[in-house]
């Protein structure tokens, strides 16, 4: 399926929906746009891990609660979370309550802090940008992994990160604008 024209007459990637709403807003304003800074990268890494096996709309609906309970995605503060903090998160119905994902967020915060002594999370992720960005024309030609996302996954795991498989890292790379993920023909392609 190629881009769909919404009720506003604008062509978008089909997952954004034809009608106004959270998914369409996310598609138009944020998805595929470059983000900057450790907190922005740590937030997206965490949310992509929580999204695993769920719909992105579920995560977007809970995003403000995630920001609150994970201290604005301040890696240093989350790295200090202990078992009591993780139990508190597991009891909070405003977020996705998955023990492995909560533990991974804390693990990844600690690994993010450790990266400060080297290149940092942002520089590490950007180092895996593809030389040539994909240019899918329809959903059938959209990838869910790449050689770069697999290599990023492997490197992050080597550096102590968890819940960073190749598919999750591909979604991260799309979301934060490592490359332009929009379909050819989507109004947002080339605007990042």
């Amino acid at each position: 399926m190629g881009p769909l024209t919404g009720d506003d007459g604008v062509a978008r990637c089909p997952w954004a929906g034809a009608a106004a709403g959270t998914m369409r807003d996310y598609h138009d304003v944020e998805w595929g746009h470059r983000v900057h800074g450790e907190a922005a990268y740590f937030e997206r890494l965490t949310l992509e891990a929580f999204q695993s096996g769920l719909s992105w709309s579920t995560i977007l609906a809970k995003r403000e609660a995630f920001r609150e309970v994970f201290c604005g995605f301040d890696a240093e503060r989350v790295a200090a979370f202990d078992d009591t903090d993780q139990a508190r998160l597991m009891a909070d119905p405003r977020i996705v309550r998955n023990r492995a994902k909560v533990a991974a967020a804390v693990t990844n915060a600690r690994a993010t802090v450790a990266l400060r002594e080297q290149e940092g999370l942002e520089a590490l992720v950007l180092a895996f940008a593809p030389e040539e960005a994909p240019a899918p024309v329809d959903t059938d030609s959209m990838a869910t992994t790449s050689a770069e996302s697999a290599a990023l996954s492997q490197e992050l795991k080597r550096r102590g990160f968890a819940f960073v498989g190749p598919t999750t890292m591909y979604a991260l790379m799309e979301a934060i604008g490592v490359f332009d993920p929009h379909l050819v023909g989507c109004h947002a392609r080339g605007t990042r």
Side-chain angles (χ1 to χ4, degrees):
M1 174 181 294
L4 292 179
T5 301
D7 57 8
D8 60 355
V10 175
R12 292 178 178 83
C13 299
W15 64 263
T22 304
M23 290 296 282
R24 190 162 96 179
D25 291 345
Y26 174 74
H27 171 273
D28 288 358
V29 176
E30 190 171 350
W31 190 64
H33 289 264
R34 186 63 60 86
V35 300
H36 302 283
E38 181 184 270
Y41 274 71
F42 178 55
E43 175 183 2
R44 299 332 188 278
L45 182 79
T46 303
L47 295 179
E48 291 294 346
F50 271 96
Q51 186 272 331
S52 224
L54 302 171
S55 73
W56 186 244
S57 60
T58 298
I59 301 303
L60 285 179
K62 296 174 178 285
R63 190 175 192 181
E64 289 309 313
F66 275 113
R67 285 177 170 162
E68 178 188 326
V69 302
F70 284 109
C71 308
F73 291 97
D74 179 324
E76 200 159 322
R77 290 179 66 191
V78 177
F81 281 11
D82 59 17
D83 290 344
T84 301
D85 293 305
Q86 291 187 48
R88 173 181 48 82
L89 293 173
M90 287 301 297
D92 193 330
R94 299 175 304 146
I95 66 167
V96 173
R97 294 177 289 174
N98 177 295
R99 193 169 313 283
K101 292 175 182 181
V102 167
V106 176
T107 295
N108 292 347
R110 292 173 182 156
T112 297
V113 170
L115 280 178
R116 290 177 182 169
E117 297 175 14
Q118 298 159 37
E119 70 272 69
L121 181 59
E122 182 173 355
L124 177 62
V125 172
L126 291 176
F128 289 88
E131 285 186 31
E132 188 174 323
V137 296
D138 56 30
T139 53
D140 288 340
S141 61
M142 290 182 79
T144 56
T145 62
S146 66
E148 295 84 5
S149 73
L152 174 59
S153 169
Q154 184 177 19
E155 184 60 20
L156 287 170
K157 288 175 184 175
R158 187 182 76 75
R159 302 229 197 166
F161 286 79
F163 254 95
V164 289
T167 302
T168 302
M169 291 305 91
Y170 193 84
L172 173 73
M173 294 166 91
E174 289 178 315
I176 63 175
V178 170
F179 58 84
D180 188 342
H182 293 277
L183 293 178
V184 172
C186 171
H187 82 96
R189 182 144 185 104
T191 62
R192 55 187 196 103

